[in-house]
Amino acid sequence: MQTSRSNRTRVCVPVCEKDLAALQNSCERAAEWADLIELRLDCLKDLPDDAVRVLNNFSRPVILTFRPTEQGGHRDSSRAERQAFWTSVAPHVKADWWDVEGDLVAELSLNSPRLIVSHHDFTGVPEDLEQIYERLASARAAVVKIAVQANDITDCLAVFHLLDLARSEGRELIAIAMGNAGIATRILGPSRGSFLTYGALDDDSATAPGQVNAPKLRSLYHVDGIDRETMICGLVGLPVMHSVSPHVHNAAFVAEEINGVYLPFEVRDAKEFFRRMVHPRSRELNWNLRGLSITAPHKQTVMECLDWIDPKAEEIGAVNTVVVDQDRLFGYNTDADGFIDPLLHRFKSLRDARVAIVGAGGAARAAMYALRKQRARVTLFARDIMKAQPVAEFFEVSCESISGASFDGYDFVVNATPLGSGGHIDQSPLTVEQLNGVWCVYDLIYNPRETRLMREAHAVGCKTLGGLEMLIAQAKLQFELWTGKKPSAGAMEHALRNVL
Ligand code: NAP
């Protein structure tokens, strides 16, 4: 479903197909999500004579593009071929805009419709970015387009600054940081003045690195509703693109009628990200950042970047939630409460319950903290006992090696390893034999909903509980910390139904 398009956000869907029939078909599909269609004629294997006739019937304004390979196109065309295209072929296509590369535009005498003059850099952010922008702007451009590769999330800063500059000069600019680290520029760009943002037709049709698909731009990130007042939240980690958290939190923003958006922030160096983009006293970006979820591998590192840490998070030794309040940063941990919540819903008391926690990372620490508070009897099981021993000692629980261990007689076995998800989807941390005599397996993995461990546990008669309830419980607490509102779990669950 499309949301209402209230502000001036424009989503342009590039259509890049090898033959005319596919091109026409994709243009029709694109029209559902697009304000404009970018006709990428460099993708066509050849330009047949009837192309012009076929290419004159669009239900959306069209940007005509003929990109050479070195600027991210699909055609290894010579300069002469490019010139011939713009002077002989393009004038016969009914387009509203031509997007011509800056290196070519000066030497063409074009009788064009409105002109987008573009520059692409697939290696990084050039040092002379502003000079490039000035040069393109002086080339009779109605709109300047600059797309650079973000090798780090802080590369977004140069793009946002360029948008501020163009806005202050009253010039139209499309500025994009490509790659996963640049996604914030694609989602927030229009609210900061970008003339448009590009959205792929679907996940398989992206024409540039990091291009979010148009249905997601509109129905997950609600780009049409984002403005300068929008409260910005996001997930900091590496990797983050697989995360379902944007579905959970963006659904809650809609359900609670809060002008907010939640984005994935792919961050390699958390300290630099916090210094240059997050901390209100040092950041180089004026944006309405309110809250962050923190995931692996940054839950410990970010603790050094905060002004205040909740004693519970301090004791767990990990922060998974950050609140930006005026000029200070506050850190919390919602994993512990999120972990215990589904258990307390089912069992009156966990006192003296025998619990085995498998894995000794961040989730295990939160689980141990919560279970110790409930006075459960906890044992930590790890593959590397030397590494896990200090963790176990910190939480005053015993520690054993997983291999060869017996779990017979345990009330709960908690999987706090990644085995069963992602690249480990077919794996389980326990053998089927080790499941004998276990009463309930609680797998913290939520994607897939049912892991191999859960299937095998079920088959030998154990009760099972997956990680989805924990995900929602901890997300609800995060949302409340950022907004002061208790979100309904229903909206969050509903959003996940489509993706899990
Ligand atoms: P983490 O900090 O990276 O810790 C992972 C732990 O698993 C480490 O102790 C690691 O051992 C161990 N491990 C990894 N591969 C293993 C293997 N092949 N055999 C045995 N142990 C192995 O990760 P985390 O943040 O704790 O997350 C763990 C899992 O919980 C993830 O799947 C995550 O998605 C899930 N989780 C779910 C929720 C939720 O809301 N449902 C919340 C948080 C986490 P080494 O130290 O030896 O590498």
Side-chain angles (χ1 to χ4, degrees):
M1 276 293 290
Q2 269 174 257
T3 51
S4 67
R5 297 174 190 177
S6 52
N7 63 16
R8 56 155 258 166
T9 297
R10 297 182 188 93
V11 174
C12 175
V13 177
V15 172
C16 178
E17 299 290 357
K18 289 195 176 117
D19 61 69
L20 283 175
L23 189 79
Q24 260 190 313
N25 180 278
S26 292
C27 284
E28 277 158 32
R29 285 173 54 217
E32 186 186 349
W33 301 99
D35 298 301
L36 300 101
I37 290 173
E38 183 188 38
L39 211 52
R40 286 285 305 269
L41 291 196
D42 52 284
C43 304
L44 284 177
K45 269 208 291 253
D46 44 32
L47 269 172
D49 289 344
D50 63 350
V52 172
R53 181 179 55 76
V54 176
L55 297 176
N56 275 322
N57 183 22
F58 300 108
S59 55
R60 292 285 180 275
V62 163
I63 300 174
L64 191 60
T65 306
F66 193 68
R67 198 76 80 221
T69 357
E70 68 273 15
Q71 298 225 31
H74 287 246
R75 203 179 189 88
D76 204 7
S77 39
S78 66
R79 249 188 137 64
E81 194 187 348
R82 290 166 67 200
Q83 286 172 345
F85 173 84
W86 290 113
T87 49
S88 310
V89 180
H92 300 290
V93 179
K94 193 168 158 272
D96 304 80
W97 298 86
W98 287 4
D99 175 344
V100 184
E101 298 76 35
D103 68 312
L104 195 68
V105 80
E107 53 192 73
L108 291 175
S109 124
L110 296 175
N111 183 16
S112 65
R114 285 167 290 180
L115 203 58
I116 299 171
V117 180
S118 58
H119 177 88
H120 301 80
D121 189 325
F122 287 87
T123 60
V125 181
E127 281 190 6
D128 58 344
L129 191 64
E130 273 188 36
Q131 285 93 311
I132 293 171
Y133 158 77
E134 296 295 347
R135 205 166 54 237
L136 300 184
S138 63
R140 346 183 254 120
V143 177
V144 170
K145 175 189 171 189
I146 295 184
V148 294
Q149 178 67 28
N151 296 315
D152 185 83
I153 190 159
T154 53
D155 287 337
C156 293
L157 286 168
V159 168
F160 285 134
H161 290 160
L162 207 56
L163 283 169
D164 289 346
L165 175 65
R167 210 180 51 253
S168 70
E169 294 178 342
R171 281 184 182 154
E172 292 288 9
L173 173 69
I174 302 164
I176 289 159
M178 296 182 286
N180 288 343
I183 274 170
T185 64
R186 295 185 180 276
I187 296 169
L188 303 178
S191 68
R192 304 184 71 91
S194 190
F195 180 71
L196 57 76
T197 187
Y198 294 91
L201 196 48
D202 51 45
D203 281 341
D204 301 324
S205 318
T207 53
Q211 201 173 72
V212 181
N213 72 47
K216 275 189 188 159
L217 281 175
R218 290 220 130 107
S219 62
L220 170 60
Y221 296 111
H222 305 284
V223 285
D224 299 277
I226 301 176
D227 55 28
R228 300 284 284 204
E229 309 301 316
T230 299
M231 173 194 291
I232 297 165
C233 297
L235 173 66
V236 177
L238 186 73
V240 286
M241 295 316 296
H242 65 289
S243 171
V244 296
S245 293
H247 294 269
V248 171
H249 286 292
N250 284 319
F253 279 131
V254 172
E256 299 305 321
E257 298 182 348
I258 292 172
N259 180 10
V261 65
Y262 184 98
L263 326 176
F265 294 123
E266 186 181 277
V267 172
R268 225 168 284 281
D269 183 339
K271 284 188 192 166
E272 269 303 273
F273 174 61
F274 268 67
R275 185 177 70 78
R276 298 191 61 197
M277 294 182 76
V278 176
H279 204 297
R281 294 201 296 270
S282 59
R283 70 188 176 198
E284 298 162 33
L285 182 65
N286 178 15
W287 60 340
N288 194 15
L289 187 66
R290 171 62 178 163
L292 296 169
S293 310
I294 313 291
T295 189
H298 300 313
K299 283 184 183 178
Q300 265 112 41
T301 320
V302 299
M303 296 176 82
E304 296 170 40
C305 310
L306 308 175
D307 297 293
W308 179 87
I309 297 173
D310 183 58
K312 190 191 290 178
E314 198 87 71
E315 212 175 312
I316 294 167
V319 158
N320 80 328
T321 310
V322 170
V323 177
V324 186
D325 194 4
Q326 299 190 21
D327 69 343
R328 301 182 75 206
L329 297 182
F330 297 80
Y332 301 85
N333 190 306
T334 65
D335 279 339
D337 289 344
F339 166 83
I340 210 73
D341 190 71
L343 293 176
L344 295 181
H345 261 98
R346 288 168 173 79
F347 310 104
K348 265 202 206 115
S349 165
L350 295 168
R351 194 183 182 112
D352 293 328
R354 283 190 74 197
V355 185
I357 295 179
V358 183
R365 294 178 76 99
M368 278 185 283
Y369 173 89
L371 287 163
R372 295 279 295 135
K373 289 273 173 223
Q374 297 296 321
R375 300 186 185 280
R377 289 187 288 148
V378 179
T379 306
L380 183 63
F381 289 85
R383 61 174 169 184
D384 182 343
I385 199 155
M386 296 295 280
K387 196 169 153 191
Q389 192 70 49
V391 182
E393 279 169 17
F394 181 83
F395 289 97
E396 298 175 327
V397 305
S398 51
C399 186
E400 292 183 28
S401 167
I402 305 172
S403 80
S406 165
F407 295 86
D408 195 358
Y410 274 90
D411 298 304
F412 298 95
V413 170
V414 177
N415 177 27
T417 78
L419 297 191
S421 65
H424 316 280
I425 198 147
D426 293 327
Q427 292 172 271
S428 165
L430 268 58
T431 62
V432 176
E433 292 70 39
Q434 283 178 310
L435 288 165
N436 281 322
V438 174
W439 186 69
C440 177
V441 163
Y442 181 7
D443 198 331
L444 303 192
I445 288 169
Y446 52 82
N447 187 9
R449 279 171 188 248
E450 191 183 48
T451 58
R452 174 173 170 183
L453 171 65
M454 289 166 74
R455 276 195 308 277
E456 291 178 348
H458 196 250
V460 298
C462 304
K463 296 194 177 307
T464 57
L465 175 61
L468 201 65
E469 282 181 55
M470 172 178 173
L471 175 76
I472 290 173
Q474 61 81 29
K476 278 173 67 179
L477 295 167
Q478 294 186 318
F479 193 88
E480 196 179 342
L481 284 165
W482 301 326
T483 66
K485 280 196 172 183
K486 280 188 201 298
S488 85
M492 290 178 160
E493 272 163 23
H494 187 264
L496 287 177
R497 235 173 262 154
N498 296 329
V499 284
L500 288 179

